[in-house]
mmCIF file of all heavy atoms in Angstrom:
data_model
loop_
_atom_site.group_PDB
_atom_site.id
_atom_site.type_symbol
_atom_site.label_atom_id
_atom_site.label_comp_id
_atom_site.label_asym_id
_atom_site.label_seq_id
_atom_site.Cartn_x
_atom_site.Cartn_y
_atom_site.Cartn_z
ATOM 1 N N HIS A 879 90.865 73.624 84.066
ATOM 2 C CA HIS A 879 91.107 75.010 84.685
ATOM 3 C C HIS A 879 92.532 75.417 84.418
ATOM 4 O O HIS A 879 92.703 76.650 84.163
ATOM 5 C CB HIS A 879 90.799 74.936 86.170
ATOM 6 C CG HIS A 879 89.382 74.754 86.485
ATOM 7 N ND1 HIS A 879 88.366 75.587 85.959
ATOM 8 C CD2 HIS A 879 88.700 73.754 87.260
ATOM 9 C CE1 HIS A 879 87.185 75.178 86.374
ATOM 10 N NE2 HIS A 879 87.368 74.087 87.161
ATOM 11 N N PHE A 880 93.440 74.493 84.353
ATOM 12 C CA PHE A 880 94.834 74.888 84.055
ATOM 13 C C PHE A 880 94.877 75.549 82.686
ATOM 14 O O PHE A 880 95.468 76.649 82.474
ATOM 15 C CB PHE A 880 95.680 73.549 84.048
ATOM 16 C CG PHE A 880 97.146 73.704 83.738
ATOM 17 C CD1 PHE A 880 98.032 73.830 84.741
ATOM 18 C CD2 PHE A 880 97.537 73.693 82.425
ATOM 19 C CE1 PHE A 880 99.397 73.911 84.489
ATOM 20 C CE2 PHE A 880 98.906 73.798 82.131
ATOM 21 C CZ PHE A 880 99.837 73.903 83.172
ATOM 22 N N GLY A 881 94.239 74.913 81.649
ATOM 23 C CA GLY A 881 94.268 75.427 80.330
ATOM 24 C C GLY A 881 93.503 76.748 80.197
ATOM 25 O O GLY A 881 93.989 77.675 79.537
ATOM 26 N N GLN A 882 92.370 76.828 80.890
ATOM 27 C CA GLN A 882 91.656 78.064 80.910
ATOM 28 C C GLN A 882 92.415 79.243 81.469
ATOM 29 O O GLN A 882 92.358 80.326 80.953
ATOM 30 C CB GLN A 882 90.265 77.839 81.698
ATOM 31 C CG GLN A 882 89.262 77.004 80.996
ATOM 32 C CD GLN A 882 88.550 77.659 79.867
ATOM 33 O OE1 GLN A 882 88.058 78.764 80.090
ATOM 34 N NE2 GLN A 882 88.689 77.167 78.650
ATOM 35 N N ALA A 883 93.116 78.935 82.555
ATOM 36 C CA ALA A 883 93.835 79.959 83.211
ATOM 37 C C ALA A 883 94.970 80.444 82.362
ATOM 38 O O ALA A 883 95.171 81.700 82.159
ATOM 39 C CB ALA A 883 94.501 79.480 84.504
ATOM 40 N N ARG A 884 95.617 79.556 81.613
ATOM 41 C CA ARG A 884 96.600 80.049 80.629
ATOM 42 C C ARG A 884 95.973 80.874 79.458
ATOM 43 O O ARG A 884 96.545 81.789 79.034
ATOM 44 C CB ARG A 884 97.375 78.851 80.141
ATOM 45 C CG ARG A 884 98.254 78.194 81.202
ATOM 46 C CD ARG A 884 98.863 76.870 80.736
ATOM 47 N NE ARG A 884 100.115 77.196 79.997
ATOM 48 C CZ ARG A 884 101.324 77.208 80.594
ATOM 49 N NH1 ARG A 884 101.432 76.985 81.805
ATOM 50 N NH2 ARG A 884 102.392 77.384 79.886
ATOM 51 N N TRP A 885 94.796 80.400 79.053
ATOM 52 C CA TRP A 885 94.202 81.101 77.924
ATOM 53 C C TRP A 885 93.808 82.464 78.298
ATOM 54 O O TRP A 885 94.055 83.469 77.589
ATOM 55 C CB TRP A 885 92.975 80.277 77.438
ATOM 56 C CG TRP A 885 92.340 80.794 76.233
ATOM 57 C CD1 TRP A 885 92.699 80.459 74.853
ATOM 58 C CD2 TRP A 885 91.388 81.835 76.071
ATOM 59 N NE1 TRP A 885 91.981 81.231 74.019
ATOM 60 C CE2 TRP A 885 91.177 82.097 74.708
ATOM 61 C CE3 TRP A 885 90.693 82.631 77.024
ATOM 62 C CZ2 TRP A 885 90.218 83.015 74.189
ATOM 63 C CZ3 TRP A 885 89.766 83.576 76.565
ATOM 64 C CH2 TRP A 885 89.594 83.714 75.185
ATOM 65 N N TRP A 887 95.147 84.323 80.639
ATOM 66 C CA TRP A 887 96.263 85.079 80.862
ATOM 67 C C TRP A 887 96.767 85.762 79.603
ATOM 68 O O TRP A 887 97.168 86.905 79.552
ATOM 69 C CB TRP A 887 97.295 84.213 81.477
ATOM 70 C CG TRP A 887 98.657 84.836 81.653
ATOM 71 C CD1 TRP A 887 99.796 84.656 80.961
ATOM 72 C CD2 TRP A 887 99.027 85.722 82.741
ATOM 73 N NE1 TRP A 887 100.822 85.374 81.466
ATOM 74 C CE2 TRP A 887 100.425 86.056 82.498
ATOM 75 C CE3 TRP A 887 98.294 86.380 83.747
ATOM 76 C CZ2 TRP A 887 101.095 86.990 83.453
ATOM 77 C CZ3 TRP A 887 98.977 87.200 84.570
ATOM 78 C CH2 TRP A 887 100.357 87.487 84.405
ATOM 79 N N ARG A 1009 99.326 79.279 86.284
ATOM 80 C CA ARG A 1009 99.943 80.597 86.368
ATOM 81 C C ARG A 1009 101.390 80.495 86.864
ATOM 82 O O ARG A 1009 102.150 81.423 86.538
ATOM 83 C CB ARG A 1009 99.167 81.575 87.304
ATOM 84 C CG ARG A 1009 97.793 81.939 86.782
ATOM 85 C CD ARG A 1009 97.911 82.979 85.796
ATOM 86 N NE ARG A 1009 96.735 83.029 84.865
ATOM 87 C CZ ARG A 1009 95.540 83.524 85.086
ATOM 88 N NH1 ARG A 1009 95.334 84.077 86.229
ATOM 89 N NH2 ARG A 1009 94.644 83.424 84.141
#
Side-chain angles (χ1 to χ4, degrees):
H879 292 306
F880 179 97
Q882 288 285 304
R884 291 175 85 92
W885 188 90
W887 177 253
R1009 292 280 153 81

